[in-house]
Amino acid sequence: MIWSAVAALGLASAASAQTVTEQDRADARCFLSALSFKATKPNGEPVTASQAAVLDMMSAFYIGRLRSRQPASTPTAAIITSDMVRDVDTRLSKVFGPCLEGWKQYGVDLGETAKIYKIVEAELTD
């Protein structure tokens, strides 16, 4: 299902001396689950265009978090393994739920940040 996305990231090779943390693995699973959820058509129905856009943003968020903690020289394959991909595909609903909750919190945080900017903007125009 998400094998093509994994291949596109260049995951065919590589071990790395970099330390991969549990948070790295969790973010990798969330990244994979967003991609997989989009591709698998849960409940037999395709995702809508707006759902697909949200899943794309969610996957970008999680891969961004993951990559921000690793040096650019760390191969993605050192973090996202074929076993991890199979595990996410097998347990998609269990993996995706907590990831969605993390994504929702990110949305709340963005909303709060927007409020802060409005306050600062109002102070600057006074």
Side-chain angles (χ1 to χ4, degrees):
M1 284 164 217
I2 58 176
W3 289 103
S4 60
V6 171
L9 285 171
L11 304 183
S13 66
S16 171
Q18 301 301 325
T19 301
V20 178
T21 67
E22 284 306 311
Q23 185 61 56
D24 294 335
R25 289 183 186 92
D27 285 344
R29 283 185 178 86
C30 288
F31 165 70
L32 293 170
S33 72
L35 291 177
S36 189
F37 192 87
K38 182 178 166 185
T40 60
K41 302 178 185 175
N43 305 328
E45 295 190 24
V47 296
T48 65
S50 62
Q51 290 169 328
V54 169
L55 290 166
D56 286 343
M57 289 186 293
M58 185 176 165
S59 64
F61 169 74
Y62 280 110
I63 196 69
R65 276 179 32 150
L66 168 63
R67 294 306 297 173
S68 72
R69 289 190 300 273
Q70 292 289 330
S73 61
T74 304
T76 307
I79 306 163
I80 301 176
T81 64
S82 57
D83 287 343
M84 182 183 290
V85 173
R86 285 190 290 276
D87 179 57
V88 169
D89 275 347
T90 302
R91 299 179 324 109
L92 181 58
S93 61
K94 289 183 180 183
V95 174
F96 185 75
C99 299
L100 185 58
E101 290 307 311
W103 174 251
K104 287 179 184 177
Q105 182 59 52
Y106 175 66
V108 169
D109 294 342
L110 285 178
E112 291 302 311
T113 303
K115 290 177 190 175
I116 294 166
Y117 274 110
K118 285 184 181 184
I119 292 168
V120 170
E121 188 177 299
E123 289 172 355
L124 292 174
T125 58
D126 286 341

